[in-house]
Every structure is written in C-alpha cells, then in structure tokens.
Amino acid sequence: MTYDVALLGAGITGSSLAFELSKYKLNVILIERENDVAMKTTKANSGIVHAGYDPLPGTKMARLNVEGCKLIHDLHPLLNFHYKQIGSLVIGSTDEDHRKIDTLYERGIQNGVPELRILKGKEEVHQMEPHLNEEIDYALYAPTCGVVSPWELALSLAETAVINGVEFASDHKVEDIIQDGEEYLIKTSKGDIRARYVVNCAGVFADDLYRIALKDKKDASFDITPCVGEYYLLDREEGNVANHVLFQCPNHLGKGVLVSPTVHGNLIVGPDASYDMPVKDYTGNTQKGLDFVRAASQRTIKNVNFRNNIRNFAGVRATIQGKDDFLIEESPYLKHFINFAGIKSPGLTSGPAFGKELVRMLEADGEKLEKKEEFKYYRLPDFFHELCMEEKQELIKKDSRYGQIICRCETVTEGEIVHAIHQPIPATTIDGVKRRTNAGMGRCQGGFCGPKVFEILKRELNLEFDEVYQDVTGSKVVVEKTKGEK
C-alpha cells in the first residue's frame, strides 16, 4: 500500500496535520519514533496560547499564530481538552519597556490581534494584577491569550485523526528515506512505508531527517539548534499569585521568564534559554538554569513562594539560527517533500493552523482534495473530580472502578485509568496515563499512585513486570524479581 501522505513526527505539528488531513479522502500515516504522541517539545513547554502580537508582521509565524489562537478557542468545546482564555500582560516599568510594549501593540494591530489595549499607570495595571511588583506601571493587555494542556491538545487532535482513518505508527524510528520515482520509500525500525508526499515535522530532528532524504545534497539542509528552557511548576497554593499570563518585555532570547497560572490551577515559572546541549533532546535541569529563572521572575512578582515547588522540568525548542519565522515549504530539491521545521514558540498555538496551511499547499500543488461525508470529533473525557455528584454516582453505577481512587492528590479513579488504556491511541506507560488523567501530577508526584498505576497497566495490557515502562520504550520501572519471589 502507498499512502497519500506520511507525516514524520507526532508532536503538536504532526498531530495537527493529521487532524486536518483526516477530514479528506486521503490515506494518511502518522509516524512517531516514540511510543506516544507529544513526547518531546510538545509535552514540555509553557502551555500558553499566544495572542499573536509578538511575531513580525508579514511572517508565517504572525499569520498562523493568530489563526491558531482562534482555532484552539473554537476546538475546545469540540475536543474537550483543558483550556482557559485568561488573557496576558506584557509588563514594564522603564521608558525602554514602554517603547517595547508600544512596538508590540503596533505589531499586534498589524497582525490582526483583536481587543489589544495598553494599560497606563500603576493603578490600572495593579487593579488587574495586585501581586505585581510596585514599580510596574505599563502593560500590554491581550484578552485572547489563554492557557492549555499541551499534551491534551495534541492527543485530542491525533485521536480524532485516528478515529477518522489516519494510521498511527508508534515506535517507528525513521532510518532512511529514499526517493523512488513518484513515491518515497521510508525505512523504519519496524518496516518499510511508501508515500506520495512526505511531511517532515520531526522537531529538533527535522534537519537530520531532511539530510537523510537529501542523500548527496546534504549541504542543502538547514541546521536545527536545540534551545533548552527550564521551569518551576508550583503547587496550587501558588496558583492565585497571578490572574493572567505575565510576560516580561521580550529580548533576543525570546519572551523572557513568564509567571502564569496553568490550566489546572498550578503556577508555572520559566523558562530560561540555553543552547549548550550535550544531545539534541537533552532535558536535564541545572542549578544555574533554575537559579536564573527564580531570580528573573522576581522582576515580575517578588512574593512567589518557591518552597511550594513540586516539579522542575525542561523543554527543548527547535530553532534555526538567523531565522525569525517558521520554515514551512516544499523542498526545492525533493518534489513532494515538505518541511515544517524551526517550530518554536508560538508553535503550540499555531498548531491547528498548520493543518490548514498544509491543505492549502497540497491544493496549490494540484491535489484535488475531497472532503469526507462524515467526520467525527474525539472528545477527551471529563476528569472525575470535575463532575457534579450526580454524574459521579451515575459513572460508578455503570462501572464500580470509578469509585476507587488511585491518585489521592488529583483524585483520579481506577475507571479513568482503565479508560485511558483502551482509547484509540492508548496509554501504555505510567507517564502516558499521567498525561491523560493527571495521575501523578500532584504534590507527591506519583509516590503514592505510581505502583498502583503500574499494576493496572500490567493487568489491562497483559504485560510482564519488566514490560511496564515509566515513559519511553525501555524505561523499565522494575528490573528483576526480588530474592525469594515465586
């Protein structure tokens, strides 16, 4: 079988492309080197739905940011991922800050960002954010900014694609890409795949895959420079310190250290920006990076209690040095090979718009795309603890496992975990369950529920004890049986 389109990478970009293509009568395969969607950059970012005032006017980034922001707002009730439109403030206190904020406002107007306005004077700014440092007296207010669960967004898009006919090939590492007439032969760790179009959306590995496909023209490739950002995630006790997403004035490294509520009520602080990576997808934390984030955040709010930190993590952004835009184009050397590369911030926000962009590109290339008569949206289930008492009781009547609490911190039930394990793209690891249900996201970080989730996975998937993984394939939780175990 030859697929019409093969998508390489199942982060927010690949998931969004799969979602949009699944509306058409096309044979599509989504190929992912890991065992789940959203395993790299997508799962480890700020979770911000940017309004669109930051990108330079006229760029793909500006256009797709504004389009994606609206699409996320519209998709939320259809797919049921966690999302809140809480608005953002870019804050400042110096004359230089004021000038930068005025520039961002003008950019936003040119980019078509709705409802933007500038807050002038301490009284107006601090009325919206009482905990801001006293000297802050100027801000750009963007009401359309929001917060989202990034992995839920990607998962809901990918699962919708799957129930509408897209094939998801997990644990398929691409080893070679060969142009064979009008088709491409994609050699993976689990077999060969043929496709008419190849779309390279592999994040920090996009340049590597492009070089593989280019063969003797490797010098024609671009270079991805991974940029690591480190974060603090604080307990819900700190969630009310900020009402909006709070940005400092941007600099050459990005949008600066932000302080923001998360969609689940925690507080996130970060990131820094470091280019000194031992490997492309390195996501270790450093004392230097965390110290920088903590010190820089003091310019926004001084009374954040970092003793309520429950998790530190790092995410990797795929940057192309010297390019202030997404690289979205068909290769000039390989017909029907399309790159979606350099997808840094606002890549998460732009995600749903990427699918629209690919459709436009395919149609411009002469493809006659025909929409399906029927298209179904996959709605993520509500969290049990968010239901009213009547709804909880009804669920427990249907399935008593919803009456068994597995994760105390987040009030996650056995029924929710079992449901996640048996979905179109199933949770097959402890962290896969975590991303879908929040089991392990609380203050104890899985210390109580981890072993219970382990047992449920082992039972439901009929696995041996050493086949239950923490996250990536091979990340064993239990290595061997203890002495005397029968």
Side-chain angles (χ1 to χ4, degrees):
M1 173 184 176
T2 298
Y3 294 91
D4 294 307
V5 183
L7 306 169
L8 310 183
I12 186 60
T13 303
S15 298
S16 298
L17 300 179
F19 169 81
E20 195 63 31
L21 292 182
S22 71
K23 297 177 181 178
Y24 297 87
K25 295 180 180 179
L26 294 167
N27 292 319
V28 179
I29 185 167
L30 178 60
I31 303 170
E32 170 56 45
R33 63 183 284 166
E34 304 295 351
N35 58 26
D36 203 355
V37 303
M39 289 285 281
K40 296 295 184 183
T41 297
T42 301
K43 77 172 182 179
N45 65 63
S46 310
I48 307 302
V49 180
H50 293 280
Y53 51 76
D54 191 60
L56 292 172
T59 60
K60 293 184 179 75
M61 189 179 284
R63 174 169 55 83
L64 296 172
N65 183 165
V66 175
E67 183 180 5
C69 180
K70 184 179 185 306
L71 285 170
I72 289 175
H73 180 274
D74 294 344
L75 285 169
H76 167 238
L78 298 171
L79 301 177
N80 205 38
F81 50 81
H82 283 83
Y83 161 80
K84 294 178 182 177
Q85 185 179 320
I86 62 174
S88 67
L89 297 178
V90 182
I91 57 173
S93 58
T94 67
D95 290 342
E96 183 181 357
D97 290 342
H98 295 182
R99 287 192 293 271
K100 285 183 178 179
I101 288 170
D102 289 343
T103 298
L104 291 177
Y105 174 80
E106 294 300 329
R107 277 191 200 173
I109 297 302
Q110 291 182 63
N111 292 345
V113 180
E115 304 177 57
L116 279 180
R117 65 186 177 95
I118 292 178
L119 310 181
K120 299 180 180 180
K122 291 182 180 181
E123 183 177 351
E124 188 174 18
V125 175
H126 287 259
Q127 186 175 2
M128 295 186 71
E129 285 291 346
H131 295 287
L132 285 175
N133 291 342
E134 185 179 347
E135 66 271 16
I136 295 169
D137 62 357
Y138 210 74
L140 174 63
Y141 176 43
T144 56
C145 178
V147 290
V148 70
S149 170
W151 48 87
E152 285 183 29
L153 175 59
L155 182 66
S156 63
L157 293 168
E159 293 205 294
T160 295
V162 168
I163 66 171
N164 286 285
V166 171
E167 185 176 340
F168 179 54
S170 61
D171 274 323
H172 280 59
K173 183 179 179 181
V174 174
E175 297 173 341
D176 202 359
I177 304 170
I178 302 167
Q179 195 171 19
D180 185 16
E182 296 295 312
E183 298 178 357
Y184 285 92
L185 173 62
I186 305 166
K187 291 185 168 292
T188 80
S189 55
K190 287 193 173 181
D192 295 347
I193 296 167
R194 286 186 171 272
R196 294 193 301 116
Y197 282 86
V198 173
V199 183
N200 175 19
C201 42
V204 293
F205 300 106
D207 56 343
D208 297 331
L209 292 191
Y210 190 33
R211 288 190 186 96
I212 288 173
L214 283 169
K215 306 304 183 200
D216 59 338
K217 302 185 185 70
K218 288 183 180 180
D219 291 344
S221 181
F222 47 84
D223 291 313
I224 295 289
T225 301
C227 177
V228 167
E230 301 189 48
Y231 294 87
Y232 282 89
L233 182 66
L234 283 74
D235 190 74
R236 289 194 180 100
E237 286 185 24
E238 297 300 304
N240 293 325
V241 169
N243 300 320
H244 305 81
V245 181
L246 302 179
F247 294 108
Q248 297 167 358
C249 278
N251 56 39
H252 68 285
L253 293 176
K255 299 178 177 66
V257 170
L258 65 83
V259 177
S260 172
T262 71
V263 76
H264 295 301
N266 300 80
L267 190 77
I268 191 169
V269 182
D272 67 335
S274 172
Y275 292 96
D276 185 18
M277 302 300 106
V279 292
K280 271 196 170 182
D281 54 350
Y282 177 78
T283 54
N285 284 116
T286 65
Q287 193 62 54
K288 179 181 178 182
L290 293 174
D291 287 347
F292 173 85
V293 168
R294 185 167 179 169
S297 72
Q298 302 297 302
R299 297 200 300 270
T300 302
I301 296 177
K302 286 189 172 68
N303 60 344
V304 174
N305 183 3
F306 282 92
R307 295 185 67 181
N308 280 324
N309 181 51
I310 61 173
R311 186 80 171 186
N312 296 114
F313 68 95
V316 183
R317 289 158 273 180
T319 64
I320 301 175
Q321 291 299 302
K323 188 171 181 62
D324 291 325
D325 201 359
F326 301 138
L327 194 160
I328 300 175
E329 63 183 21
E330 182 177 15
S331 166
Y333 306 98
L334 300 171
K335 185 176 175 58
H336 292 175
F337 190 103
I338 300 172
N339 288 305
F340 275 70
I343 307 300
K344 57 182 179 179
S345 180
L348 179 69
T349 307
S350 305
F354 290 152
K356 305 284 187 184
E357 186 78 349
L358 179 58
V359 167
R360 290 190 284 263
M361 294 173 73
L362 293 176
E363 289 178 333
D365 198 44
E367 291 293 316
K368 305 295 183 184
L369 302 185
E370 184 181 353
K371 279 204 169 184
K372 295 174 180 174
E373 289 80 12
E374 293 186 6
F375 179 79
K376 299 178 181 178
Y377 291 93
Y378 178 82
R379 283 179 56 83
L380 297 180
D382 293 314
F383 286 170
F384 183 80
H385 72 85
E386 295 174 337
L387 301 176
C388 69
M389 185 57 68
E390 289 182 3
E391 291 170 324
K392 290 177 180 178
Q393 291 173 343
E394 189 63 30
L395 261 182
I396 294 170
K397 283 181 184 178
K398 292 178 180 177
D399 187 340
S400 61
R401 291 174 294 190
Y402 281 93
Q404 179 67 32
I405 300 297
I406 300 299
C407 174
R408 293 176 178 177
C409 298
E410 298 294 315
T411 321
V412 181
T413 68
E414 183 178 2
E416 291 174 276
I417 294 169
V418 172
H419 182 272
I421 292 171
H422 296 290
Q423 290 312 289
I425 299 179
T428 61
T429 67
I430 292 174
D431 281 358
V433 168
K434 180 180 180 179
R435 287 188 290 274
R436 288 161 174 80
T437 67
N438 271 19
M441 288 278 191
R443 181 173 277 276
C444 84
Q445 289 291 288
F448 175 80
C449 65
K452 295 178 179 292
V453 174
F454 178 100
E455 290 297 333
I456 295 170
L457 281 163
K458 183 174 178 292
R459 179 192 75 207
E460 293 296 315
L461 297 176
N462 195 28
L463 299 173
E464 296 297 324
F465 69 90
D466 60 348
E467 294 175 327
V468 180
Y469 300 140
Q470 181 68 40
D471 197 10
V472 299
T473 298
S475 56
K476 294 183 180 182
V477 179
V478 178
V479 178
E480 60 184 15
K481 294 181 179 180
T482 56
K483 183 178 178 180
E485 207 257 18
K486 297 181 180 178

